[in-house]
């Protein structure tokens, strides 16, 4: 009999027991030791604060009622349905959303100047920002992203509009006001002092909302666009307010070369970040295609996480990140859509392209090389992402005490593009969702126990 982590104990219930929501059916998640675990006759209880109260395996309603002290109303899932944890997008540029599906015909540095910076300057218009940000949050949430780590722009007010959008739809979000004080167009480059001042004001304003789902994240765009003074100041802000940090690292060879020319006094790209105080256990670095042994050792020592963005890496020809190698080195690895270098806002696309990238690399590796399995890619999109964002004590899987961030998947939804058969196993249904399913199979989306999307209606 399969068991999830957590003892299922419901002692210490601090809420009205009759407010407990109970679901019975197939649960799919990852653990520290298993990339995928399936409980076919599971029962999961969620308390009124949105936390997972118990997880039981094939328990009778009678024994559950005795333990609860009352007969709960139980929602029984259909055979074609299962719950999975919500997806965690560890790297997405919200302001680039209007370019999604277009403009992926140039390499990184040229792409930034031709398409990205001209678009991001438009966010000085807060009305424009509000319109875009409502669309990107709604779209990602509809596709099952319950947690997103967003880059915004350099604009304080527009960055607050992104917080507004996440709050409006109920998404869990890291929101970063972007920082850059060199090597950007004049109309999109900050002064060092102004950048630090605006960032601290942004932090204070977000924290004042006291919304546990919205967290400011320190966001130096990348080393090329930041002086050491700016990065060091941002590192101090992260320490002062105990905040996460996000940036880019070793995305393309041209970028790595440019960093070495800009900062010859440092040993490597990672050394720049480390010496400036932005390498912490709450730091996530996107891409990480061209890491050296020095980089790997430093990142592991500091607890820095990796956001693997396979769509973007392929679309703008940056390179192939070896997720197997980085996982085997002991790094925390999650997945990111990297809109709009990545042309798709769905984490299902990130899962698929992570597998394809690993398969492509395996062709050129020794016979004993193991490409990424679909179960491992699933873990990276859920629990792995939570670990990368230092949120694995709160979300990522179905463990007692964590928030119920979940997707109800139905492989026989009325508008599903997927054909199923009587002989399909539960594993078959899960694989079909991961490889050929889409938002039409995501019937309901929950964040901290609250239903924030209902596609079945």
């Amino acid at each position: 009999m399969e068991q999830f982590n957590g003892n299922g104990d419901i002692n210490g219930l601090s809420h009205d027991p009759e407010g407990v929501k109970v679901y019975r059916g197939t649960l799919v998640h990852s653990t520290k030791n298993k990339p995928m675990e399936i409980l076919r006759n599971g029962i999961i209880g969620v308390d009124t604060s949105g936390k997972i109260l118990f997880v039981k395996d094939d328990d009778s309603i009678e024994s559950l009622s005795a333990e609860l002290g009352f007969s709960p109303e139980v929602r029984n899932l259909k055979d074609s349905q299962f719950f999975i944890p919500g997806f965690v997008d560890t790297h997405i540029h919200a302001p680039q959303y209007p370019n999604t599906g277009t403009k992926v015909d140039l390499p990184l540095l040229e792409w930034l100047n031709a398409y990205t910076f001209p678009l991001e300057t438009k966010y000085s218009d807060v009305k424009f920002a509000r319109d875009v940000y409502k669309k990107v949050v709604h779209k990602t949430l509809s596709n099952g992203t319950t947690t997103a780590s967003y880059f915004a722009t350099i604009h304080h007010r527009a960055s607050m509009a992104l917080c507004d959008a996440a709050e409006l739809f109920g998404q869990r979000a890291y929101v970063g006001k972007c920082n850059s004080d060199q090597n950007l167009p004049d109309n999109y480059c900050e002064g060092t002092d102004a950048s630090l001042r605006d960032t601290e004001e942004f932090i204070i304003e977000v924290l004042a909302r006291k919304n546990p789902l919205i967290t400011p994240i320190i966001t130096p765009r990348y080393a090329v666009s930041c002086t050491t003074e700016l990065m060091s100041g941002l590192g101090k802000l992260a320490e002062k307010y105990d905040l996460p940090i996000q940036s880019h690292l070793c995305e393309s060879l041209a970028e790595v070369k440019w960093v070495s020319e800009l900062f010859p006094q440092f040993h490597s790209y990672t050394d720049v970040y480390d010496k400036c105080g932005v390498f912490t256990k709450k730091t996530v670095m996107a891409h990480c295609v061209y890491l050296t042994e020095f980089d790997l050792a430093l990142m592991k020592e500091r607890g820095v996480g990796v956001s693997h963005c396979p769509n973007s890496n392929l679309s703008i020809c940056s390179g192939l990140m070896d997720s197997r190698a980085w996982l085997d080195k002991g790094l925390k690895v999650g997945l990111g859509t990297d809109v709009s270098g990545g042309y798709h806002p769905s984490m299902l696309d990130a899962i698929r392209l992570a597998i394809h990238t690993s398969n492509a690399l395996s062709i050129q590796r020794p016979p004993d090389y193991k490409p990424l399995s679909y179960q491992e890619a699933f873990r990276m999109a859920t629990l792995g992402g939570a670990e990368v964002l230092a949120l694995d004590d709160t979300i990522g899987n179905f463990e007692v005490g964590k928030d119920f961030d979940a997707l109800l998947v139905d492989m026989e939804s009325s508008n599903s593009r997927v054909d199923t058969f009587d002989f399909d196993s539960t594993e078959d249904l899960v694989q079909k969702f991961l490889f050929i399913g889409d938002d039409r199979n995501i019937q309901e989306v929950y964040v901290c126990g609250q239903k924030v999307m209902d596609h079945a209606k």
Side-chain angles (χ1 to χ4, degrees):
M1 180 180 294
E2 295 173 298
Q3 291 283 355
F4 278 0
N5 289 346
N7 58 18
D9 185 13
I10 63 172
N11 293 329
L13 176 62
S14 60
H15 303 283
D16 177 5
E18 294 190 11
V20 174
K21 298 175 183 176
V22 179
Y23 307 91
R24 184 174 192 173
T26 299
L27 308 175
V28 184
H29 82 160
S30 303
T31 69
K32 298 263 184 203
N33 300 318
K34 290 185 179 181
M36 181 177 287
E37 190 170 44
I38 298 175
L39 191 62
R40 291 171 178 80
N41 297 293
I43 300 179
I44 188 166
V46 182
D47 71 15
T48 54
S49 70
K51 294 193 178 297
I52 298 172
L53 184 62
F54 56 82
V55 182
K56 292 178 171 292
D57 184 1
D58 199 22
D59 205 9
S60 71
I61 297 301
E62 290 75 17
S63 62
L64 179 63
S65 298
E67 194 168 356
L68 286 171
F70 74 101
S71 296
E73 182 178 342
V74 178
R75 178 177 174 183
N76 292 294
L77 305 188
K78 297 186 296 184
D79 291 343
S80 61
Q81 295 177 326
F82 51 88
F83 270 120
I84 65 171
F87 292 135
V88 181
D89 189 342
T90 58
H91 186 71
I92 175 170
H93 292 264
Q96 295 175 22
Y97 182 66
N99 282 351
T100 304
T102 69
K103 301 176 175 62
V104 288
D105 58 340
L106 293 174
L108 174 64
L109 300 179
E110 293 83 349
W111 175 84
L112 287 169
N113 287 309
Y115 306 130
T116 302
F117 297 146
L119 173 59
E120 292 191 13
T121 60
K122 294 182 179 181
Y123 289 80
S124 58
D125 181 345
V126 179
K127 184 178 182 299
F128 176 80
R130 288 196 186 104
D131 178 59
V132 172
Y133 289 155
K134 286 179 182 177
K135 290 178 179 176
V136 67
V137 172
H138 184 271
K139 179 62 68 176
T140 55
L141 202 53
S142 296
N143 278 279
T145 298
T146 53
T147 299
S149 188
Y150 288 115
F151 275 62
T153 61
I154 65 171
H155 311 100
H156 178 173
R157 298 314 328 157
S159 299
M160 290 307 305
L162 180 52
C163 296
D164 293 341
E167 201 164 37
L168 174 66
F169 290 106
Q171 189 177 51
R172 190 185 304 272
Y174 280 4
V175 178
K177 178 213 159 298
C178 215
N179 300 94
S180 298
D181 66 344
Q182 67 174 6
N183 295 318
L184 262 70
D186 291 342
N187 65 343
Y188 197 51
C189 197
E190 306 168 288
T192 305
D193 292 341
S195 182
L196 292 170
R197 181 186 64 247
D198 288 352
T199 299
E200 185 160 23
E201 290 175 357
F202 169 74
I203 291 168
I204 292 170
E205 188 170 352
V206 176
L207 293 178
R209 295 188 174 197
K210 300 187 183 303
N211 183 340
L213 298 181
I214 311 296
T215 303
I217 181 169
I218 298 296
T219 307
R221 187 177 198 106
Y222 67 146
V224 165
S225 70
C226 298
T227 61
T228 55
E229 291 78 12
L230 178 57
M231 285 188 281
S232 296
L234 292 171
K236 291 174 182 175
L237 285 176
E239 183 178 16
K240 179 179 179 179
Y241 293 98
D242 189 25
L243 295 177
I245 301 169
Q246 64 181 351
S247 192
H248 301 83
L249 175 65
C250 296
E251 181 174 357
S252 75
L253 290 172
E255 170 213 9
V256 173
K257 182 174 183 292
W258 196 2
V259 170
S260 68
E261 294 168 350
L262 287 170
F263 304 99
Q265 70 273 34
F266 295 100
H267 181 78
S268 71
Y269 201 156
T270 54
D271 194 39
V272 177
Y273 286 136
D274 189 51
K275 292 294 197 304
C276 290
V278 295
F279 256 20
T280 75
K281 63 182 180 181
K282 297 173 76 172
T283 296
V284 53
M285 286 284 156
H287 302 290
C288 301
V289 179
Y290 301 101
L291 300 179
T292 65
E293 289 298 323
F294 175 90
D295 298 330
L296 291 164
L298 181 60
M299 292 175 71
K300 183 176 181 181
E301 181 180 350
R302 298 288 186 263
V304 174
V306 173
S307 175
H308 180 25
C309 305
N311 189 313
S312 175
N313 291 344
L314 292 166
S315 294
I316 58 176
C317 300
S318 295
L320 304 177
M321 196 202 88
D322 192 341
S323 54
R324 166 61 64 218
W326 297 173
L327 287 168
D328 286 352
K329 291 286 186 179
L331 295 185
K332 299 179 294 185
V333 183
L335 293 178
T337 58
D338 194 25
V339 166
S340 68
Y343 58 74
H344 206 299
S346 172
M347 286 293 289
L348 287 170
D349 174 83
I351 289 172
R352 293 159 192 169
L353 290 183
I355 295 168
H356 293 330
T357 296
S358 189
N359 286 341
L361 285 167
S362 73
I363 297 170
Q364 301 174 330
R365 296 291 194 267
D368 61 349
Y369 180 91
K370 288 187 176 181
L372 201 66
S373 68
Y374 78 88
Q375 295 98 328
E376 289 172 303
F378 169 79
R379 184 188 187 281
M380 289 163 64
T382 53
L383 182 59
E387 290 171 347
V388 164
L389 298 183
L391 287 172
D392 52 306
D393 61 340
T394 304
I395 60 168
N397 60 5
F398 298 137
E399 291 186 354
V400 172
K402 291 190 177 184
D403 289 357
F404 186 65
D405 286 16
L407 312 180
L408 177 63
V409 177
D410 190 345
M411 297 310 295
E412 295 180 358
S413 59
S414 60
N415 57 348
S416 174
R417 62 179 283 188
V418 182
D419 289 323
T420 62
F421 301 89
D422 291 342
F423 51 79
D424 282 336
S425 65
T426 303
E427 288 85 352
D428 292 334
L429 294 180
V430 173
Q431 287 185 70
K432 287 186 175 186
F433 173 63
L434 296 180
F435 282 108
I436 56 176
D438 59 24
D439 59 309
R440 288 168 287 192
N441 297 108
I442 299 172
Q443 294 296 282
E444 297 170 7
V445 180
Y446 293 82
V447 176
C448 198
Q450 297 300 308
K451 188 191 297 184
V452 295
M453 288 279 172
D454 190 344
H455 292 165
K457 289 184 177 180

